[in-house]
Amino acid sequence: PLLPQPNNMAQQHVLVAGQKTPWNKSLFSCMDDTSVCLFSLFCPVCSMASARTAFDESNWCFNCMTLNPINFRSIVREGYNIEGGCCGDVLVGYFCSACSICQGAQEIGVRGPSVK
């Protein structure tokens, strides 16, 4: 409910095997969707759990207990084959956690569930 729904009109990246794609939302575009921004800022654990559940239909309670901003960012980035790496995930997830959570939740809102 508080996460953005997939937008079919949004720019979708066509995946070529092995090709990395950029993030649809920049790290500091938090205010593009204020409800996701506020949810990520005031209840980051619930925001990550809800976004991850929307991403791969995993268990929300399990996500609440196990996710942190670093592994959430890595899951989203690797799941959508977004450019970047582990070192960036650690630095951004640690030093800009609220923006990183918001970016990941917005990315899931734009791209929709991961392909299984």
Side-chain angles (χ1 to χ4, degrees):
L2 288 177
L3 292 176
Q5 298 301 312
N7 183 351
N8 293 332
M9 301 303 288
Q11 176 184 358
Q12 297 293 318
H13 295 283
V14 177
L15 289 178
V16 177
Q19 181 182 2
K20 300 281 185 182
T21 61
W23 291 91
N24 283 302
K25 300 287 186 173
S26 75
L27 182 61
F28 301 109
S29 65
C30 299
M31 293 306 290
D32 287 356
D33 186 332
T34 52
S35 63
V36 174
C37 177
L38 293 173
F39 191 35
S40 298
L41 182 62
F42 292 111
C43 194
V45 172
C46 295
S47 179
M48 287 186 293
S50 297
R52 170 93 190 265
T53 300
F55 175 72
D56 62 6
E57 299 178 354
S58 55
N59 183 282
W60 188 86
C61 289
F62 178 80
N63 290 333
C64 274
M65 292 185 281
T66 60
L67 280 178
N68 65 57
I70 296 168
N71 64 17
F72 173 68
R73 182 173 182 82
S74 179
I75 289 165
V76 173
R77 187 184 52 74
E78 290 181 4
Y80 291 132
N81 202 29
I82 296 173
E83 51 198 32
C86 179
C87 192
D89 294 339
V90 170
L91 292 173
V92 171
Y94 185 79
F95 290 107
C96 301
S97 60
C99 292
S100 177
I101 293 166
C102 187
Q103 181 186 34
Q106 289 179 344
E107 195 72 26
I108 292 167
V110 169
R111 296 190 189 218
S114 67
V115 178
K116 292 186 178 184

